[in-house]
Amino acid sequence: MVNTLPQSVPKEPKVGIKTPSKETVLTPRFYTTDFETAASLDLSAQDTELKAMLEEMRADYNRHHFVRDEEFKQSWENIPPETRQPFIDYLERSCISEFSGFLLFKELSRKLKGRSPILSEMFQLMARDEARHAGFLNKAMGDFKLSLDLAEVTKTRTYTFFPIEWVVYTVYLSEKIGYWRYILIYHHLQKHPENQFYPIFRYFESWCQDENRHGDIFKALLRSQPQLWKTWKARLWSRFFLLSVFATHTLTVHERAGFYNSLGLDATEFDRQVVCNTNETAGRAFPVMLNTDHPEFFSRLHYCSDQNLKLVEIDRSSAPKFVKLIRKLPYIASILWNLLRLYLIKPIDTEALRLTVR
């Protein structure tokens, strides 16, 4: 069951403070969970792995990484509007996503203190990383004379309740897909430095290692709980969350194709690489992975993306809300139907492949 917790009405923004984008099904969300269940998780099956990763987190290899160098200290007025606005949108979405992780991890650390010491410290250290990321992104927005009031965002954002099992699935996928997004952009710009219009992209190689470490921690959490990978329900939930994350990524990337074009990337090919790599990575943790080689897989995802762009056009129109809703219904139904068809594609049994050479 998913519950949303309403927050206070937002105040009028101050000068230079960006009003957060409207919350939609595609925007990053803020989460809360069942802290009592989280505190009672039996971690013994992955105790050695978790302790080793805790030592790695304590080492804090990126503690000196998120420091702005001299290259940031210049005017960015030369960036054209068609690149500037999609980039600001990208910074905002990324900042909200990282800040969401910070809030969830911080609260988990606080609620688990004294009850699950290893998990409490791990969440504290992951919150440290997410806070650095969010702050670094917010400072980048400041170079464009805008920033988010994250304290105010905390009060005004809607919080969604997820059971801890769902949190493990979704955060694992969020961290791993974040890793592939960052590293693919970084490698592309290493080959095409002429497209690197802002210095933040130089930080993506080490940055993505934080995402990878966080994902590995959640993989250990997942594998420590047999109900999350050994049961028939786990197989169904794994398929659901894989498809949800991949569909969200595809729709979001194509909504913001202008940003990827400004980097010299083809949005469709970038999305395909991110999805395929994340799916392959998830196969090391989940009992199944999706069959991305199926001839219908990407064609249906791209059809959903096309329908979503029509929804965006309707939202931007001046029609009354009721008329907009009526116009949206056929596109929403079409997206849901195609997602159902994708869900029903037979997945790949990764447990059966676990002991084979791949």
Side-chain angles (χ1 to χ4, degrees), residues 26 100 122 133:
L26 296 182
S100 168
M122 276 194 160
H133 300 169

Side-chain angles (χ1 to χ4, degrees), residues 268-325:
T268 298
E269 179 57 22
F270 174 74
D271 171 62
R272 187 193 67 78
Q273 289 184 35
V274 170
V275 168
C276 287
N277 282 309
T278 306
N279 187 55
E280 182 72 21
T281 301
R284 301 167 194 166
F286 286 12
V288 297
M289 61 183 183
L290 303 187
N291 183 3
T292 57
D293 291 329
H294 191 284
E296 292 186 19
F297 185 81
F298 279 108
S299 63
R300 288 192 180 277
L301 271 186
H302 294 157
Y303 180 79
C304 289
S305 177
D306 292 341
Q307 301 298 90
N308 178 62
L309 290 177
K310 292 175 182 176
L311 292 176
V312 172
E313 288 180 16
I314 293 171
D315 261 335
R316 290 173 178 168
S317 72
S318 57
K321 287 185 178 179
F322 179 73
V323 174
K324 288 183 181 181
L325 176 61

Side-chain angles (χ1 to χ4, degrees), residues 71-205:
E71 192 177 352
F72 286 93
K73 298 176 182 179
Q74 58 178 288
S75 171
W76 300 102
E77 296 299 324
N78 59 312
I79 297 179
E82 61 272 19
T83 298
R84 173 189 296 265
Q85 190 54 52
F87 181 50
I88 292 172
D89 291 343
Y90 173 82
L91 291 173
E92 178 190 352
R93 180 183 176 84
S94 299
C95 183
I96 292 291
S97 179
E98 300 283 359
F99 190 62
S100 168
F102 160 73
L103 291 175
L104 177 63
F105 296 159
K106 180 183 177 183
E107 191 65 6
L108 277 163
S109 175
R110 189 176 70 85
K111 292 292 180 66
L112 272 56
K113 192 172 185 179
R115 301 189 60 187
S116 182
I118 289 178
L119 270 190
S120 178
E121 186 176 358
M122 276 194 160
F123 283 124
Q124 177 192 359
L125 296 174
M126 286 193 286
R128 170 202 69 196
D129 294 345
E130 301 290 287
R132 283 177 184 162
H133 300 169
F136 201 67
L137 288 158
N138 209 15
K139 286 180 181 177
M141 291 180 64
D143 289 338
F144 298 90
K145 299 180 175 59
L146 290 170
S147 63
L148 291 169
D149 184 342
L150 294 176
E152 187 64 25
V153 170
T154 305
K155 301 173 187 175
T156 58
R157 203 77 171 184
T158 300
Y159 284 69
T160 300
F161 176 85
F162 264 22
I164 191 63
E165 295 84 0
W166 293 10
V167 169
V168 172
Y169 284 128
T170 54
V171 174
Y172 170 77
L173 286 172
S174 174
E175 299 290 350
K176 289 301 184 181
I177 205 169
Y179 166 80
W180 283 111
R181 286 169 58 85
Y182 283 127
I183 201 63
L184 287 172
I185 290 174
Y186 177 80
H187 285 159
H188 166 74
L189 292 177
Q190 286 293 103
K191 296 177 182 176
H192 302 281
E194 69 278 6
N195 292 319
Q196 187 164 276
F197 59 81
Y198 185 76
I200 199 169
F201 303 112
R202 291 191 287 102
Y203 290 72
F204 278 13
E205 183 181 33

